[in-house]
Amino acid sequence: KQEVTQIPAALSVPEGENLVLNCSFTDSAIYNLQWFRQDPGKGLTSLLLIQSSQREQTSGRLNASLDKSSGRSTLYIAASQPGDSATYLCAGRDDKIIFGKGTRLHILP
Amino acid sequence: NAGVTQTPKFQVLKTGQSMTLQCAQDMNHNSMYWYRQDPGMGLRLIYYSASEGTTDKGEVPNGYNVSRLNKREFSLRLESAAPSQTSVYFCASSPQLNTEAFFGQGTRLTVV
């Protein structure tokens, strides 16, 4: 059974800092791993999708990596901004999509 | 671009009442999913449909039924609502099993 864990559960950093969010999964037989952003009271916005054959994906200030052998993915956010404050969720994909509980990020102005 | 549309956005039910949450996608996606999101529990999969005509249980299927009405629509039914089913429900779809998933804006359900 796939289990996805995100550490830390919450994180506060000053504006401008670079930061890393962690995601681990128990079953390496995934098709892909997807990172989402969720603002309070809103739905999920897809940020990055990494296929199982890929090592990383980049979009603007975001970079996501995937290491299937160790069961880990990271989301790197460069030069953080107050607008980045949100909950970030990772999800591992086989025939189902299994989510971690998220990291609640707060960027301090 | 409608994407994934969920109706209703908000609903209050009394214990024992029944209702159906509707989900429709206009992207010609094969796979559709229903999740519930509760504080401290993250998103948990209720049911999914890998393709039209198939449905499978997820992590928390008890108390729910689903219907994949056609390729566009995937509904979630609560036959006898319970306070424990108070939650935010999200529907999602993706073209295939190994492709990006897209989510609706959610249905906030309160059972009193």
Side-chain angles (χ1 to χ4, degrees), chain B residues 4-110:
Chain B
V4 180
T5 303
Q6 293 183 232
T7 55
K9 289 185 170 52
F10 301 93
Q11 184 71 49
V12 179
L13 288 179
K14 293 182 178 179
T15 298
Q17 286 185 319
S18 63
M19 81 160 295
T20 300
L21 279 64
Q22 306 287 352
C23 175
Q25 50 90 11
D26 61 1
M27 299 174 282
N28 201 36
H29 287 175
N30 289 316
S31 302
M32 298 186 74
Y33 307 82
W34 275 106
Y35 290 85
R36 60 178 289 174
Q37 186 175 35
D38 304 289
M41 300 297 292
L43 279 101
R44 292 180 292 171
L45 182 64
I46 306 172
Y47 272 93
Y48 67 104
S49 171
S51 61
E52 184 179 0
T54 69
T55 60
D56 287 284
K57 295 178 180 179
E59 302 169 78
V60 288
N62 292 345
Y64 305 95
N65 286 299
V66 290
S67 296
R68 186 73 184 267
L69 303 170
N70 46 55
K71 193 171 186 180
R72 289 187 65 248
E73 299 172 288
F74 188 38
S75 62
L76 178 71
R77 182 160 179 84
L78 287 70
E79 291 291 352
S80 179
S84 61
Q85 294 179 305
T86 293
S87 188
V88 181
Y89 291 84
F90 286 100
C91 177
S93 70
S94 68
Q96 301 168 50
L97 290 177
N98 62 343
T99 52
E100 187 176 9
F102 297 85
F103 279 73
Q105 288 302 299
T107 294
R108 190 172 296 274
L109 177 67
T110 302

Side-chain angles (χ1 to χ4, degrees), chain A:
Chain A
K1 176 188 171 186
Q2 179 74 271
E3 294 183 5
V4 179
T5 303
Q6 292 187 247
I7 296 173
L11 181 65
S12 293
V13 299
E15 179 179 2
E17 285 198 2
N18 304 324
L19 59 99
V20 174
L21 306 181
N22 296 296
C23 172
S24 62
F25 47 94
T26 56
D27 186 353
S28 62
I30 55 172
Y31 295 137
N32 58 51
L33 189 132
Q34 194 167 354
W35 283 92
F36 295 86
R37 167 185 174 139
Q38 186 177 30
D39 294 292
K42 303 294 185 182
L44 279 70
T45 301
S46 179
L47 296 174
L48 288 164
L49 173 74
I50 312 176
Q51 298 291 354
S52 61
S53 58
Q54 297 175 319
R55 298 280 298 183
E56 64 179 70
Q57 282 287 330
T58 297
S59 176
R61 295 183 293 109
L62 305 180
N63 176 277
S65 68
L66 176 64
D67 184 343
K68 281 186 61 177
S69 62
S70 67
R72 293 180 182 178
S73 177
T74 61
L75 180 67
Y76 175 84
I77 302 177
S80 59
Q81 304 170 358
D84 295 330
S85 297
T87 296
Y88 290 80
L89 297 156
C90 70
R93 181 76 180 269
D94 42 39
D95 58 340
K96 303 184 283 291
I97 308 171
I98 303 298
F99 281 84
K101 293 182 180 180
T103 294
R104 195 168 57 255
L105 177 64
H106 182 48
I107 305 300
L108 305 167

